Amino acid sequence: MTDKDLRKLNRVELLQMLLEQGRQNDALRAQLDQANAQLASRQVALDEAGSIAEAAMQLNQVFFAAQQAADQYLENIRTLSGRQEAVCAKREAESRSKCEQMLAETQKKCQSLEDQTRSRCEAMTSEAERKSAAVWDEAKLRLDQLLAQQAGLRSLLNMVHEETGGK
């Protein structure tokens, strides 16, 4: 704005302009303070590093420490993996042993049941044969008795027939 334009403004407008410039001035000072703080922190970092070579050496140390940590982590993982594999192998061996034991017990029980069944079948067959023989003996005895009675009847019939003269 020119001086002529400024003279045309009244006091309120001039005060408002003055207040606005004060606000802008405060904002610019805040930015300047922030920039100075950043510059100071950079200066401190450069002072600590001393040079780019020192900064690179510090970075190398950080990378070396990170590599060592990564190597240690991988070694721990390998160790834990080996332990886990050993635990799994042990559990597998125990499971196989238990399965084999259960299979042997089952086979033994099956054999025992088979032997018991065979024994009962033999006993039942023997009992059936004994009863069958007893029935046959009884039937033979009755048949023999019947034949004996029939032979007696025949002889009586023959006698009666002979006495009657063959009529």
Side-chain angles (χ1 to χ4, degrees):
M1 239 188 223
T2 62
D3 285 338
K4 191 176 184 182
D5 289 335
L6 284 175
R7 288 188 184 147
K8 289 183 183 178
L9 297 175
N10 62 23
R11 284 184 183 186
V12 173
E13 292 172 335
L14 286 173
L15 284 174
Q16 286 178 348
M17 282 180 66
L18 189 58
L19 283 173
E20 182 62 34
Q21 284 182 350
R23 287 186 201 126
Q24 287 177 355
N25 191 14
D26 289 340
L28 289 173
R29 280 195 181 152
Q31 286 179 353
L32 179 61
D33 289 342
Q34 185 180 8
N36 282 336
Q38 288 176 347
L39 181 61
S41 72
R42 285 186 184 166
Q43 186 63 37
V44 168
L46 284 177
D47 288 343
E48 287 178 1
S51 68
I52 293 176
E54 287 179 20
M57 286 176 40
Q58 287 179 355
L59 281 175
N60 282 342
Q61 290 175 354
V62 169
F63 290 141
F64 181 73
Q67 183 64 44
Q68 283 182 327
D71 291 342
Q72 183 180 9
Y73 176 75
L74 288 174
E75 183 61 31
N76 288 341
I77 293 296
R78 286 184 194 109
T79 300
L80 290 175
S81 177
R83 287 181 190 165
Q84 190 65 28
E85 286 177 6
V87 168
C88 288
K90 181 181 176 186
R91 285 185 181 168
E92 182 179 358
E94 288 172 353
S95 294
R96 286 183 188 274
S97 173
K98 189 172 183 179
C99 285
E100 289 171 0
Q101 180 183 4
M102 289 171 65
L103 180 62
E105 287 175 5
T106 302
Q107 288 174 339
K108 186 177 178 181
K109 285 180 184 177
C110 286
Q111 186 63 44
S112 174
L113 288 173
E114 188 177 326
D115 290 344
Q116 288 175 2
T117 303
R118 186 174 290 114
S119 175
R120 280 191 276 168
C121 286
E122 288 172 358
M124 289 171 67
T125 302
S126 176
E127 180 66 16
E129 288 174 353
R130 186 190 60 78
K131 285 182 179 179
S132 174
V135 167
W136 276 110
D137 288 344
E138 179 71 24
K140 186 177 176 188
L141 180 65
R142 286 187 182 175
L143 281 174
D144 287 343
Q145 287 175 354
L146 184 63
L147 285 175
Q149 287 175 358
Q150 189 178 20
L153 281 176
R154 264 193 198 165
S155 69
L156 275 175
L157 279 175
N158 282 337
M159 282 202 298
V160 169
H161 186 42
E162 286 176 12
E163 286 179 10
T164 59
K167 290 188 186 176

